């Protein structure tokens, strides 16, 4: 089968979170399973662009309302990522350093989607499936089916995967002029509560909808930022497929960001050295357990709880632990976390910003990873942590529920708590410090986690079955 993935992110080209990791891995593993999967994404001005070779494969002209623009499609020439990678360049709209966060994001991503569909419409062949990801590409199923100039694409099946339903790409109806002329009887397929809602449109128009874990799919029916009724109504075409992790990139035995490689057969020394090094860089105490948090400092991740959790843990559990935080996001949380630096007794530090290398070093060097998320569609961090022998402390929600088994349960290895509250997280930290004292228990939990199979091979088979059913 030929499968076209369309995404706003793809690691290592441009990544802001888990979507990038998935888009960088799923097409590769589909190819390894014998299919022809390609990926199309915007051409931002990231480092990857300058460090690789490209050829121009198509130039086209189209319009966003009355703004006529030229777009260029370039292809990476060596298939370095294990699949054909195409970037869409639109002068003035996509040629930015960051992926998101501009006032004109609705125009940028609508123009990107139009260019992608316009290009696909010029092909001599039709793909077997077009697979889009999140709201940035959610208008594509509608455009392929109901925009007159692309009507010959209307029988190509589409799939949308929801990595995060919190963000839906809302646009006022004044922006409907951006969408190429369409069958106005179908206007309702763009709408949700009187705004154009690209995510809702994708859910309504795609043949199949997937979410990145089973539990997240269940949760969306009662908590999806306004789309609850839609998920209930469309449940017949929805399914959950757990993300895998790219074992080529996330492997402590061959990770180029680590100085001390280790594997499940002998990890104690490598992990201890990784921890010592991390503690040295951040002025922490390697003899104490090291708790880390890696992620966006936003409400979804319950990052706002961190300052109080750290304060309460030090006050109530004791100063027998270290914390190291890596992330960026809400400026007030960033400020509070920075502010805590002054109180550190060689047991707290933070790095505000994005740092891929440091994230790998933290998964390797930490003892525990904190994930108190209020919403977690799948969560990759906990899977990376486990692969690196680091015990996850997670809230019982979404993909965290599907991947982490509490140490108190038969065969368990992690720490699971119920609520995103300071009390519950601090109690989890107390349990972790107790667990840390029991060397045998720590060793067996680390070993058990490193042996778990979160590989893409399993999930890819589920995607293939889904494509075949179309
Ligand atoms: P989400 O996509 O909701 O942000 P996921 O758990 O699915 O959460 O994926 C997060 C990914 O982003 C992981 O690969 C994680 O290591 C990475 N990440 C998040 N914040 C940072 C950061 N500040 N620096 C480096 N990597 C980060």
């Amino acid at each position: 089968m030929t499968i076209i993935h369309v995404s706003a992110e793809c690691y290592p080209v441009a990544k802001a979170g888990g979507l990038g990791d998935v888009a960088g891995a799923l097409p590769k593993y589909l190819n390894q399973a014998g299919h022809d999967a390609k990926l199309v994404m915007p051409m931002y001005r990231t480092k990857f662009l300058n460090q690789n070779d490209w050829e121009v494969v198509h130039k086209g002209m189209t319009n966003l309302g009355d703004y006529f623009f030229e777009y260029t499609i370039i292809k990476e020439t060596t298939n370095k990522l294990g699949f054909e990678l195409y970037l869409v360049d639109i002068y003035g709209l996509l040629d930015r350093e960051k992926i998101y966060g501009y006032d004109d994001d609705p125009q940028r991503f609508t123009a990107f989607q139009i260019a992608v569909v316009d290009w696909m419409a010029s092909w001599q062949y039709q793909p077997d499936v077009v697979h889009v990801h999140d709201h940035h590409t959610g208008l594509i199923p509608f455009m392929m089916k109901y925009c007159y100039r692309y009507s010959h694409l209307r029988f190509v099946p589409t799939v949308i995967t929801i990595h995060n339903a919190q963000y839906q790409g809302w646009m006022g109806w004044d922006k409907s002029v951006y969408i190429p002329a369409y069958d106005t009887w179908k206007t309702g397929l763009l709408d949700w509560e009187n705004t154009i809602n690209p995510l809702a449109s994708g859910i309504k128009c795609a043949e199949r909808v997937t979410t990145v874990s089973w539990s997240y799919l269940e949760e969306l029916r009662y908590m999806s930022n306004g789309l609850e009724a839609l998920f209930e109504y469309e449940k017949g075409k929805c399914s959950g497929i757990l993300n895998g992790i790219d074992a080529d990139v996330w492997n402590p035995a061959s990770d180029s960001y680590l100085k001390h490689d280790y594997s499940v057969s002998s990890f104690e020394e490598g992990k201890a050295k990784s921890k010592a090094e991390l503690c040295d860089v951040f002025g922490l105490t390697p003899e104490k357990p090291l708790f880390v948090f890696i992620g966006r400092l936003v409400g979804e991740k319950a990052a706002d709880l961190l300052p109080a959790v750290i304060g309460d843990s030090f006050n109530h559990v004791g100063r027998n632990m270290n914390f190291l935080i890596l992330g960026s996001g809400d400026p007030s949380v960033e400020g509070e976390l920075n502010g805590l630096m002054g109180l550190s007794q060689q047991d707290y530090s933070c790095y505000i910003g994005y740092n891929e290398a440091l994230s790998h070093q933290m998964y390797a060097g930490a003892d525990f990873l904190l994930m108190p998320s209020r919403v977690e569609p799948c969560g990759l961090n906990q899977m990376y942590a486990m692969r690196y022998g680091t015990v996850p402390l997670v809230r019982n929600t979404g993909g965290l529920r599907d991947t982490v088994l509490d140490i108190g349960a038969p065969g368990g290895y992690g720490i699971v708590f119920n609520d995103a509250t300071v009390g519950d997280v601090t109690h989890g930290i107390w349990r972790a410090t107790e667990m840390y004292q029991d060397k045998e228990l720590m060793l067996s939990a680390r070993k058990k986690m490193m042996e778990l199979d979160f590989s893409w091979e399993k999930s890819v088979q589920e995607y293939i079955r889904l494509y075949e059913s179309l």
Side-chain angles (χ1 to χ4, degrees):
M1 282 180 290
T2 303
I3 304 124
I4 308 299
H5 286 271
V6 192
S7 169
E9 298 179 30
C10 171
Y11 177 82
V13 190
K15 163 178 160 183
L19 169 63
D21 286 334
V22 174
L26 176 57
K28 176 169 85 178
Y29 288 95
L30 284 168
N31 281 358
Q32 286 178 10
H35 296 280
D36 180 18
K38 310 168 196 283
L39 183 128
V40 193
M41 67 179 296
M43 179 173 147
Y44 312 109
R45 297 307 189 251
T46 61
K47 262 198 227 147
F48 188 90
L49 188 64
N50 302 324
Q51 291 166 346
N52 292 279
D53 296 323
W54 306 88
E55 62 176 316
V56 173
V57 293
H58 181 78
K59 269 182 183 290
M61 185 83 190
T62 185
N63 64 304
L64 181 75
D66 55 11
Y67 175 65
F68 283 76
F69 65 87
E70 190 182 48
Y71 67 90
T72 307
I73 311 282
I74 62 171
K75 176 177 183 280
E76 196 271 319
T77 51
T78 60
N79 278 9
K80 184 177 185 176
L81 305 187
F83 53 87
E84 289 181 15
L85 169 70
Y86 296 90
L87 307 187
V88 180
D89 190 26
I90 304 176
Y91 175 74
L93 284 175
L94 299 179
D95 50 349
R96 315 263 172 96
E97 274 176 29
K98 281 194 306 175
I99 305 174
Y100 316 114
Y102 299 100
D103 289 345
D104 59 352
D105 279 355
Q107 286 90 323
R108 297 172 68 226
F109 288 106
T110 309
F112 164 64
Q113 294 174 84
I114 295 171
V116 173
V117 180
D118 204 77
W119 177 44
M120 288 195 297
S122 73
W123 294 352
Q124 297 293 336
Y125 74 97
Q126 294 201 327
D128 294 298
V129 183
V130 172
H131 187 156
V132 304
H133 299 266
D134 274 354
H135 75 82
H136 329 95
T137 54
L139 293 173
I140 289 179
F142 180 89
M143 289 187 198
M144 288 171 60
K145 286 189 168 59
Y146 305 115
C147 288
Y148 295 117
R149 66 189 192 207
Y150 306 129
S151 60
H152 58 290
L153 292 175
R154 71 181 176 280
F155 297 118
V156 177
T158 51
V159 175
I160 184 166
T161 293
I162 298 170
H163 301 257
N164 193 334
Q166 291 301 107
Y167 307 98
Q168 300 169 7
W170 309 270
M171 293 192 278
W173 268 103
D174 55 320
K175 305 266 189 325
S176 65
V177 291
Y178 293 156
I179 301 170
Y182 56 88
D183 178 354
T184 49
W185 282 95
K186 306 293 180 195
T187 301
L189 294 174
L190 291 169
D191 184 82
W192 193 256
E193 292 182 340
N194 300 322
T195 46
I196 297 177
N197 184 318
L199 188 70
S201 174
I203 296 166
K204 293 179 197 182
C205 298
E207 269 74 17
R208 297 297 295 270
V209 179
T210 70
T211 62
V212 290
S213 68
W214 319 285
S215 291
Y216 186 52
L217 179 59
E218 288 300 306
E219 285 171 14
L220 287 172
R221 281 158 57 190
Y222 57 87
M223 197 178 61
S224 51
N225 209 1
L227 300 185
E228 296 77 7
L230 181 61
F231 279 106
E232 180 60 33
Y233 182 74
E234 297 284 14
K235 64 183 174 205
K237 66 177 185 189
C238 297
S239 54
I241 302 181
L242 197 66
N243 286 335
I245 62 176
D246 190 338
D248 299 337
V249 178
W250 298 94
N251 182 355
S254 59
D255 190 325
S256 57
Y257 292 121
L258 302 188
K259 282 204 193 122
H260 312 286
D261 292 349
Y262 59 92
S263 66
V264 65
S265 55
S266 92
F267 54 85
E268 280 179 82
E269 194 187 331
K271 246 189 118 47
K273 283 186 174 164
S274 302
K275 178 178 176 182
E277 206 161 280
L278 200 57
C279 289
D280 188 40
V281 172
F282 286 93
L284 303 170
T285 316
E287 294 74 33
K288 298 177 182 175
L290 174 59
F291 291 84
V292 301
F293 174 95
I294 301 168
R296 294 177 294 119
L297 301 176
V298 295
E300 262 178 84
K301 303 283 177 195
D304 49 302
L305 300 182
L306 289 174
V309 163
I310 294 165
D312 273 21
S313 298
F314 282 155
N315 288 335
H316 301 306
V317 185
R319 289 203 87 125
N320 52 345
M321 61 187 97
N322 301 290
F323 288 97
L324 178 59
I325 313 289
L326 164 64
S328 61
D330 185 340
S332 68
V333 178
E334 289 182 359
E336 279 186 78
L337 290 170
N338 266 330
L340 286 178
M341 296 278 270
L343 305 175
S344 171
Q345 297 172 11
Q346 293 200 315
D347 50 14
Y348 170 79
S349 190
C350 67
Y351 179 108
I352 302 298
Y354 190 92
N355 189 328
E356 190 73 30
L358 178 58
S359 75
H360 286 243
Q361 287 148 10
M362 286 171 68
Y363 290 119
D367 295 299
F368 299 97
L369 175 92
L370 282 171
M371 284 186 88
S373 309
R374 294 193 174 91
V375 183
E376 196 57 80
C378 174
L380 292 168
N381 299 18
Q382 81 281 13
M383 295 197 257
Y384 297 149
M386 290 191 272
R387 183 136 171 80
Y388 285 66
T390 295
V391 180
L393 262 83
V394 304
R395 198 184 143 232
N396 194 18
T397 189
L400 300 174
R401 185 207 303 265
D402 295 345
T403 52
V404 182
L405 195 57
D406 190 87
I407 189 88
Y413 38 84
I415 292 182
V416 182
F417 49 88
N418 276 327
D419 294 317
T421 57
V422 175
D424 254 26
V425 187
T426 309
H427 182 254
I429 289 175
W430 169 75
R431 287 185 66 204
T433 55
E434 295 286 298
M435 180 178 171
Y436 186 78
Q437 302 306 323
D438 188 337
K439 297 285 172 234
E440 285 299 305
L441 186 64
M442 277 303 280
L443 275 181
S444 75
R446 289 199 207 277
K447 186 161 186 304
K448 212 178 286 175
M449 292 184 304
M450 290 179 76
E451 283 171 342
L452 294 173
D453 180 11
F454 292 118
S455 67
W456 265 111
E457 279 84 1
K458 229 168 30 180
S459 310
V460 151
Q461 289 308 322
E462 292 186 53
Y463 278 110
I464 292 172
R465 274 197 293 280
L466 179 107
Y467 300 146
E468 281 170 352
S469 75
L470 296 171

